Amino acid sequence: MHDTVMKETGLRAAGCRNVSPVLNRIGDKWSVLIVMILAAGPRRFNELKREIDGISQRMLTLTLRGLERDGLVSRTVDPTVPPRVTYALTDLGVSLTGPVEALGSWAIEHIGCIRSAQDRFDAAHEAATRGQ
Amino acid sequence: MHDTVMKETGLRAAGCRNVSPVLNRIGDKWSVLIVMILAAGPRRFNELKREIDGISQRMLTLTLRGLERDGLVSRTVDPTVPPRVTYALTDLGVSLTGPVEALGSWAIEHIGCIRSAQDRFDAAHEAATRGQ
DNA sequence: CCGGATCCTATCTGATACTG
DNA sequence: CAGTATCAGATAGGATCCGG
């Protein structure tokens, strides 16, 4: 990002290409939740599964694989039997919690505003649709 | 939300219920991009369509409706013929740009780290899969 | 110019069953 | 315990045509 002059459009386009993959990850159904739980400390597979409640085994595996692939989460296998696999946030994963918490704060702060906007919109839309 | 004592788990669960809808919005394919473009000033429908390049008419309409429903974007119809419809960020929408830019900065800052992690992961995984 | 309606495909997700 | 494999349903997204 050391281009001396960069048009706003160029900056935005470049930003988007970089931001998109991150958004795809944090935008999925479980990633942020898992990152936030792991922010409180490492967990084993079934601890996560119990703690999340609603996630399928499959999605937990898939999401953890994705997070591991992106370098946000580390996976440590304890070669015992039965196996113990521990997941933890990497430094990169920890650094993500900041921005995500910022977004979370915004959401909590404005959720009332959003919900009332939705209600107003739905009411208006329902009124327009009533005649059909 | 007036429980006097709330366990960490409860707090997290409550936070999640509030954050999830927001994540669903900003996690989708186009919302953040549109918000960021509108942050630079109001646009008309086809201006957005041209500027985004790759979005289908359908998705632009759908995404704008969603943003409007959430109170992030305002839609103003100029009752001329042909009609002019102008989209702009609401105050709520403007307030979202802060956290989103924070996330964007994080993404830009760490994208190299992420990509190399992915390459390492893919290389390791490919090696493990080679023998099949 | 704006956008609704329809059709079709790709991807995501969950349920279930099976394995080291 | 910690996964993998497979199947079926839900959902997102694009292409296209039509209407105000």
Side-chain angles (χ1 to χ4, degrees):
Chain A
M1 210 54 56
H2 32 40
D3 294 331
T4 46
V5 177
M6 196 179 234
K7 302 273 269 286
E8 204 186 52
T9 329
L11 231 180
R12 186 158 49 238
C16 281
R17 269 189 289 281
N18 289 330
V19 175
S20 284
V22 176
L23 247 41
N24 280 340
R25 178 130 310 293
I26 73 132
D28 78 14
K29 206 172 173 182
W30 306 108
S31 289
V32 167
L33 185 52
I34 291 177
V35 167
M36 282 319 177
I37 290 178
L38 290 181
R43 301 289 148 100
R44 288 175 46 203
F45 186 86
N46 277 343
E47 287 177 338
L48 284 171
K49 184 152 164 38
R50 271 189 297 275
E51 208 156 344
I52 292 179
D53 183 72
I55 195 171
S56 64
Q57 197 181 41
R58 173 186 152 80
M59 284 318 295
L60 182 54
T61 301
L62 254 50
T63 307
L64 285 170
R65 283 285 173 282
L67 292 170
E68 188 193 358
R69 190 176 106 96
D70 288 356
L72 296 169
V73 160
S74 67
R75 177 175 180 273
T76 313
V77 182
D78 207 342
T80 60
V81 40
R84 294 173 71 94
V85 180
T86 304
Y87 293 92
L89 245 46
T90 62
D91 290 346
L92 186 62
V94 172
S95 76
L96 178 60
T97 61
V100 166
E101 273 172 10
L103 202 63
S105 300
W106 182 92
I108 291 171
E109 198 172 340
H110 295 93
I111 186 67
C113 202
I114 292 176
R115 289 224 210 284
S116 63
Q118 289 175 347
D119 290 345
R120 264 178 282 123
F121 183 94
D122 291 347
H125 189 266
E126 186 192 340
T129 312
R130 219 189 308 273
Q132 286 182 347
Chain B
M1 208 55 56
H2 31 43
D3 293 333
T4 46
V5 176
M6 195 177 238
K7 306 271 272 282
E8 205 187 51
T9 330
L11 234 181
R12 185 158 52 237
C16 281
R17 269 191 288 281
N18 289 329
V19 175
S20 283
V22 176
L23 246 41
N24 279 340
R25 177 128 314 291
I26 75 132
D28 77 14
K29 206 172 174 183
W30 306 108
S31 289
V32 167
L33 185 51
I34 291 177
V35 167
M36 282 319 178
I37 290 178
L38 290 181
R43 301 290 148 99
R44 288 177 46 203
F45 185 86
N46 277 342
E47 287 177 338
L48 284 170
K49 184 151 165 40
R50 272 189 297 274
E51 208 157 342
I52 293 179
D53 184 72
I55 194 170
S56 64
Q57 198 181 40
R58 173 186 152 81
M59 285 318 295
L60 181 53
T61 301
L62 253 51
T63 307
L64 286 170
R65 283 286 170 281
L67 293 170
E68 188 194 356
R69 191 176 107 96
D70 287 358
L72 298 168
V73 160
S74 67
R75 176 175 181 272
T76 314
V77 182
D78 206 342
T80 60
V81 41
R84 294 171 72 93
V85 181
T86 305
Y87 293 92
L89 245 46
T90 61
D91 289 348
L92 186 61
V94 172
S95 77
L96 178 59
T97 61
V100 166
E101 273 171 11
L103 201 64
S105 300
W106 182 92
I108 292 172
E109 199 173 339
H110 296 93
I111 186 66
C113 203
I114 293 175
R115 289 224 209 284
S116 62
Q118 290 174 347
D119 290 345
R120 263 179 283 123
F121 183 94
D122 292 347
H125 188 266
E126 186 191 343
T129 313
R130 217 190 309 273
Q132 288 182 346

